[in-house]
Amino acid sequence: MARYIICPRCELNFIDADEQEYCDVCIKELSGERTFADGFDTEEAINQPAECDFSIVIPARNSAYSLKHTIQTCLDINYEGGYEIVISDNSTNDNQEVYNLITELNDARIRYYKTPRDLHLPKSFEFAFLKARGEFIFSIGS
């Protein structure tokens, strides 16, 4: 009988403790297989000076309907300083609904990024965090 535990490296995915030391995602990363950050200078991104007061990071995956309400709430914030809304679109390849929504909203405070490939939710958050330019970063779900 399999004994499932949380991966001791990422603490996110379940593994069969009798079969694996780490989850498949961690094994790929440890083996040097490409990650979403390949070719992207993460240290440079982290150390960039802030360009606005805060960033609201929203990872999305095939969720245009609920995302529309989330973004509208963020746009309705009564704040005189500068802020941005960073959308990390991790939708399946053929799903353009999130992109179409961002295009429809057409607001300069919204910054849209398509993930380079399918990512687990924590990596989608990380991808968006690296794109954020705010002094402070808040994250919410779509």
Side-chain angles (χ1 to χ4, degrees):
M1 184 171 178
R3 183 174 58 96
Y4 292 98
I5 62 171
I6 296 286
C7 175
R9 181 170 180 264
C10 67
E11 298 180 347
L12 297 171
N13 301 310
F14 283 98
I15 60 170
D16 181 342
D18 298 326
E19 299 286 326
Q20 292 178 265
E21 184 177 2
Y22 301 113
C23 70
D24 292 338
V25 173
C26 289
I27 289 170
K28 287 179 183 178
E29 289 177 355
L30 290 169
S31 72
E33 194 169 312
R34 287 184 44 219
T35 66
F36 75 86
D38 286 348
F40 185 80
D41 189 342
T42 55
E43 188 172 335
E44 180 182 330
I46 290 169
N47 292 317
Q48 287 291 321
E51 296 180 19
C52 58
D53 295 334
F54 64 91
S55 299
I56 302 170
V57 169
I58 309 172
R61 182 172 177 87
N62 303 332
S63 59
Y65 178 76
S66 59
L67 180 61
K68 182 175 185 174
H69 299 285
T70 303
I71 292 174
Q72 195 57 57
T73 300
C74 295
L75 292 173
D76 290 343
I77 294 172
N78 186 11
Y79 181 72
E80 293 181 16
Y83 71 97
E84 67 178 356
I85 302 166
V86 179
I87 306 298
S88 172
D89 182 6
N90 192 34
S91 296
T92 52
N93 290 337
D94 58 341
N95 189 321
Q96 297 292 311
E97 292 177 0
V98 172
Y99 174 79
N100 293 340
L101 171 64
I102 302 309
T103 303
E104 174 188 317
L105 291 171
N106 192 28
D107 190 295
R109 294 171 288 182
I110 302 172
R111 297 180 54 228
Y112 171 88
Y113 296 96
K114 175 75 175 129
T115 59
R117 67 178 171 284
D118 190 33
L119 301 175
H120 290 284
L121 184 60
K123 293 296 182 188
S124 186
F125 270 103
E126 287 178 28
F127 179 77
F129 288 150
L130 290 171
K131 300 294 187 179
R133 301 179 300 187
E135 180 73 25
F136 300 96
I137 302 173
F138 303 91
S139 59
I140 58 176
S142 61

